[in-house]
Structures are given as C-alpha cells and as structure tokens.
Amino acid sequence: QVQLVESGGGLVQAGGSLRLSCAASGRTFDSYAMGWFRQAPGKEREFVAAITLSGDYTYYADSLKGRFTISRDNAKNTVYLQMNSLKPEDTAVFYCALKQRVGGLKSRYAYDYWGQGTQVTVSS
C-alpha cells in the first residue's frame, strides 16, 4: 500500500551537512506521521525524528535536537532530514518510516512501513 524511498546519503567529513529525502507513494493521504530512524553496525535501530502529516508537530531524539531538523512537503509526499554538524558517531543507515495511526512516535515498533535505507558515513 505504501512505498518509501530514501535518498541523499553519502560520505561527508565531520562537521559537514547532509539532507536526506524520503519520497512516499501509495496510500499516504490518511497517515499520521513519518519518521527517521538510524542503525549503526552492531546497534539497534534508534529514533531520530518524526513529523506529523496533518500539522506542524515535530519530535526529536534528545541527543540530536539542535543538529537535525525534520520537515515535510505534503504536496510532494516527501519528508526531509537536514543534518548539520555531523560527527563520526552519526555514521549509520538511515531509514524512513511511516506511521498510519495516531499514537507514540518514538518506537520503531510503532511504524507500519519502512524504506530500504540510505547510508550516511561521516569521516574524521
């Protein structure tokens, strides 16, 4: 029903910036929110940020707030993640996810659809 495709990942030096995009297709018009998660080697997938699709509510992991910014363009069914002041420990596969129902946004288990991921590598 829903397909998500991430793009914008790549290699960047510490202190640099990247802007990730997530394009959604299918039945997204009645969905609640979209979010970004990341997964580093040997680590569990962790919450990064989320945004509701019918309002301006945004949510961030406490440790990332101030460096990362989530935004959306509903006309394009696209969500973005602007990442600034990147650190080597930010290196991970970043995943876009869609949540259909109202509810908590910070658990990976709350989301219904996932993209394939895009690699972000931050060199020192």
Side-chain angles (χ1 to χ4, degrees):
Q1 293 189 32
V2 175
Q3 298 81 44
L4 305 173
V5 180
E6 304 97 333
S7 62
L11 176 65
V12 65
Q13 290 185 321
S17 299
L18 283 174
R19 182 174 180 252
L20 306 183
S21 298
C22 175
S25 61
R27 286 182 57 88
T28 63
F29 62 89
D30 57 349
S31 296
Y32 172 51
M34 294 177 66
W36 289 96
F37 290 74
R38 68 183 185 182
Q39 188 165 20
K43 303 290 186 179
E44 292 193 351
R45 194 168 299 186
E46 66 176 354
F47 174 75
V48 174
I51 187 167
T52 59
L53 300 181
S54 61
D56 295 322
Y57 300 102
T58 58
Y59 306 84
Y60 297 92
D62 290 342
S63 62
L64 301 177
K65 192 171 185 178
R67 291 198 297 126
F68 290 10
T69 303
I70 190 169
S71 62
R72 61 177 170 86
D73 184 342
N74 280 1
K76 297 180 178 180
N77 278 352
T78 300
V79 170
Y80 305 94
L81 184 69
Q82 178 68 43
M83 305 186 294
N84 299 324
S85 301
L86 284 163
K87 306 173 182 178
E89 52 263 43
D90 293 321
T91 295
V93 177
F94 281 71
Y95 296 91
C96 176
L98 181 143
K99 190 180 194 301
Q100 291 183 308
R101 303 175 184 176
V102 172
L105 294 166
K106 297 185 177 182
S107 171
R108 64 186 183 273
Y109 303 110
Y111 289 78
D112 303 289
Y113 297 94
W114 294 86
Q116 82 289 346
T118 185
Q119 177 71 47
V120 172
T121 302
V122 184
S123 65
S124 59

